[in-house]
Amino acid sequence: MKYELVIGLETHVELSTDSKLFCSCGGHSSPKEPNDCVCPACSGMPGMLPVTNKHAIELAVKAGFMLNCKINQYTTFDKKSYYYPDLPASYQTTQWFNPICVEGSVDINGRKIGIKQIHLEEDAGKLVHDEATNTSFVDYNRTSVPLIEIVTKPDFRSSDEVIAYLKKLKSSLQFAGISECEEGAMRCDVNISVRPEGSTEFGVRSEIKNMSSLSDIKDTIEFEKVRHVDAIERHTEMLVQETRRWDDVKRRTFPMRNKETAADYRYFPDPNVMPIVIDDAWLEEIRKSMPATADEKTKYYEDMGIAAKEAAVLASDRKLCEVFDAVVATGCSAKTVASWILTECMGIMKRLEITSLDISADKLARIIALVEGGEITRAAGKKVLSAVFEKDVQVDAFCEENNLNQKIDEGFILDTVKKTIADNDKIVADYKSGKTKAMQALFGLIMRELKGNGDPAVIRTLLETELNK
């Protein structure tokens, strides 16, 4: 019998705010040491009333617009009661009865994936385990950092669809400035079941918690599919609705606990948090602040003459877009800027193991202008670019200090070509005997002697002329 995968996702995303959801403590990027970003309100002390972060509301609405949701203009907060050491108040403030966004959808590979809802909630703290001393510590810095939870309908039918969705979601959230989606700031609960093809009944569901690696998510889905089918076909185990965890060393899931139901959490309205009313004017203000989507950016770059593949790569990362747009705004050719960013910048980033393009647009524009104006060679431009990444040097000063902007006349180049030929009889003989690679060796020696200066086309022409005399 053939079986069909049924998958739904609950994706938790930390919002890019300067403060927490219900107090003025710094947001997700503020803490430097454990428990240095905590106040009586977010640490669960009695008598401290919460004040809702307006910017968090706006970011949640932006996420709703991005995923084609209906925005609930009257939204409330509720208490989700459970005890765990990283939850100081013994309940989490979330949205159960009136989530801020509902009934959305997103297109993935030509299929419509339904979004059940997006709701706001506060994050929990973090447990730090010390196996050497058999002790655990609690860091409350993350407590009450604002999250949105994006809940899909069980519409995914393969791991490839899930990965495509998460990649598109991450790119869109970054573009809209909703979340940086760095490591740990985008976590996913994966709900999986299987059923016979053609059936409309759902199978027994397993939930795998707190996953952030796309490769682990894909492997989890494939493992669970085999486990569920084996349980049904070969009776290897009795499937029960439960929460499981992924072991990234053993590459398999293990049970954690039976899956809780809504009744277990005893949801009820939080009397300390006032309802939020989003009037039409505020809603329209948020709508107008929405930036272009990645798809819109890709089309815009294609219209500028950039190849579709290159345009898609640029549009996949907000930082690449920001630098590209800023450099083009200085008057540089769009195609030239795309080439420098996608070839030279990304090559240096890979070598230095840098994950985000962090370079001054003015400095990159100046390097491109010097190269395009013939002031320095492309090779020299690469040297300057590397120095900017590594030491944040000043472009013109670095060129002057390293004689990179020194124009070399054709006579000096010719003298260097002749000297190189005279000093390398064997390589010249190899060339004369038909070994064409020998000319490239001579060209390299000349470039080394000129320290990367000089027009490569001029050097190659002079070299060919002298060799063929």
Side-chain angles (χ1 to χ4, degrees), residues 174 180 182 317-323 341 345-346 348-350 352-359 389:
Q174 289 175 327
E180 294 300 322
E182 71 272 18
D317 186 285
R318 189 181 67 186
K319 286 296 294 183
L320 293 183
C321 285
E322 288 175 352
V323 174
I341 289 178
C345 289
M346 294 189 78
I348 294 171
M349 288 166 62
K350 183 177 181 180
L352 299 177
E353 298 183 345
I354 298 172
T355 57
S356 180
L357 180 60
D358 186 15
I359 184 174
F389 269 97

Side-chain angles (χ1 to χ4, degrees), residues 93-274:
T93 303
T94 182
Q95 294 188 310
W96 177 256
F97 297 107
N98 295 291
I100 194 164
C101 309
V102 295
E103 300 173 14
S105 67
V106 60
D107 182 83
I108 300 297
N109 299 333
R111 289 190 66 242
K112 182 178 178 181
I113 304 298
I115 304 297
K116 179 185 176 184
Q117 67 183 54
I118 302 173
H119 59 265
L120 274 159
E121 62 185 24
E122 58 181 349
D123 207 346
K126 179 182 179 182
L127 292 178
V128 181
H129 304 290
D130 187 341
E131 294 183 4
T133 60
N134 196 29
T135 55
S136 295
F137 301 90
V138 187
D139 181 1
Y140 289 123
N141 280 334
R142 202 172 64 185
T143 304
S144 203
V145 165
L147 304 175
I148 51 172
E149 182 173 343
I150 304 169
V151 184
T152 74
K153 295 180 180 178
D155 289 344
F156 298 100
R157 296 295 177 263
S158 71
S159 58
D160 288 339
E161 284 184 347
V162 168
I163 300 306
Y165 164 81
L166 290 173
K167 286 181 176 179
K168 184 171 185 176
L169 183 64
K170 179 179 180 180
S171 174
S172 299
L173 291 169
Q174 289 175 327
F175 253 92
I178 294 168
S179 174
E180 294 300 322
C181 295
E182 71 272 18
E183 185 178 354
M186 182 173 170
R187 310 188 295 273
C188 195
D189 297 342
V190 185
N191 293 275
I192 303 172
S193 65
V194 301
R195 64 187 179 190
E197 281 191 355
S199 173
T200 58
E201 299 292 326
F202 290 122
V204 177
R205 177 165 55 98
S206 298
E207 180 182 30
I208 296 83
K209 301 285 285 186
N210 286 328
M211 305 202 68
S212 56
S213 163
L214 294 182
S215 60
D216 283 353
I217 290 171
K218 183 176 179 64
D219 289 350
T220 294
I221 293 170
E222 298 302 326
F223 175 85
E224 281 294 298
K225 179 181 180 181
V226 173
R227 187 179 74 86
H228 278 241
V229 172
D230 282 348
I232 296 169
E233 291 281 334
R234 300 179 178 84
H235 307 290
T236 52
E237 61 180 295
M238 177 68 72
L239 291 176
V240 295
Q241 183 170 307
E242 63 183 352
T243 299
R244 299 176 70 88
R245 67 175 180 86
W246 172 254
D247 189 315
D248 58 4
V249 176
K250 297 181 178 180
R251 312 305 294 173
R252 57 164 297 167
T253 65
F254 290 92
M256 292 173 61
R257 59 182 182 271
N258 289 342
K259 184 76 177 81
E260 297 90 347
T261 65
D264 294 320
Y265 291 124
R266 305 185 305 282
Y267 288 101
F268 68 95
D270 190 334
N272 294 322
V273 185
M274 296 295 292

Side-chain angles (χ1 to χ4, degrees), residues 403-414:
N403 295 320
L404 297 179
N405 56 357
Q406 180 180 5
K407 289 189 176 180
I408 301 176
D409 62 38
E410 195 168 310
F412 182 77
I413 294 175
L414 180 59

